[in-house]
Amino acid sequence: MTIVYRSNAGTTRRYAELLAKELSCDAVELSKAKDSVTGDTVYLGWIMGNEIQGLAEAKTAFDLCAVAGVGMMDSEADQAKTREKAALGEIPFFFLPGDFHMENVTGMLKLAMGVVRKALRAEIKKSGDPKIAETLRRIEEGVDKFDENALAPLADYVRRLE
Ligand SMILES: Cc1cc2nc3c(=O)[nH]c(=O)nc-3n(C[C@H](O)[C@H](O)[C@H](O)COP(=O)(O)O)c2cc1C
């Protein structure tokens, strides 16, 4: 078993390394893994716009036993959207709560976040939707949701496979 991951600001890497330690296997970053990893793989990717980053590449490159997405939007509805976009078929999906801080967002992603914030503000003005207000609040105030214990269901699942 190998844990392959893609992280932007570090939360997904932390989860991947903890999981690897717990399962006594390696955690390898996606771009390095493509040439070196074979056999059963668990993929962890950070979530952007309800999409698990790197998943398309991971699906073609590895034999996936399970996939986890790391995100700051932890509602059932958001998790369902991510699961649906991931189109994993029989492969089980796990959600892991992540951290988010605007100061860690740089380059193109920072620009994109600026556009998203503007759009969310306009939408809140129009509809007053509390869910959208909560999304904007998380973006502006930041989120610290990393939780080591959240790995337990995924770790248990993988252990049962071995
Ligand atoms: C541009 C951008 C878009 C994001 N979109 C989502 C999203 O749609 N859903 C979500 O749950 N989290 C979203 N997040 C939050 C990240 O997924 C979260 O911060 C995660 O912990 C990032 O993992 P990392 O620390 O490994 O990069 C977004 C973050 C950024 C920077």
Side-chain angles (χ1 to χ4, degrees), residues 7-12 46-50 70-73 98-99 113:
S7 184
N8 179 49
T11 321
T12 310
W46 72 285
I47 299 171
M48 174 167 66
N50 289 115
V70 182
M72 67 169 160
M73 303 308 299
D99 295 349
M113 253 322 177

Side-chain angles (χ1 to χ4, degrees), residues 1 13 15 27 38 44 49 55 73 82 84 87 92-93 101 103 109 148 157 161:
M1 184 67 63
R13 179 172 44 78
Y15 276 125
T38 54
L44 273 65
L55 178 62
M73 303 308 299
T82 303
E84 194 187 324
F93 167 77
H101 293 282
E103 59 267 30
L109 292 180
E148 193 170 333
Y157 177 80
L161 294 175

Side-chain angles (χ1 to χ4, degrees), residues 45-91:
W46 72 285
I47 299 171
M48 174 167 66
N50 289 115
E51 282 186 27
I52 301 171
Q53 300 303 292
L55 178 62
E57 288 168 64
K59 272 184 185 175
T60 57
F62 309 111
D63 198 356
L64 298 178
C65 300
V67 167
V70 182
M72 67 169 160
M73 303 308 299
D74 51 0
S75 72
E76 281 295 326
D78 274 290
Q79 292 184 37
K81 241 187 254 173
T82 303
R83 183 184 287 113
E84 194 187 324
K85 277 196 182 185
L88 291 169
E90 299 290 299
I91 304 165

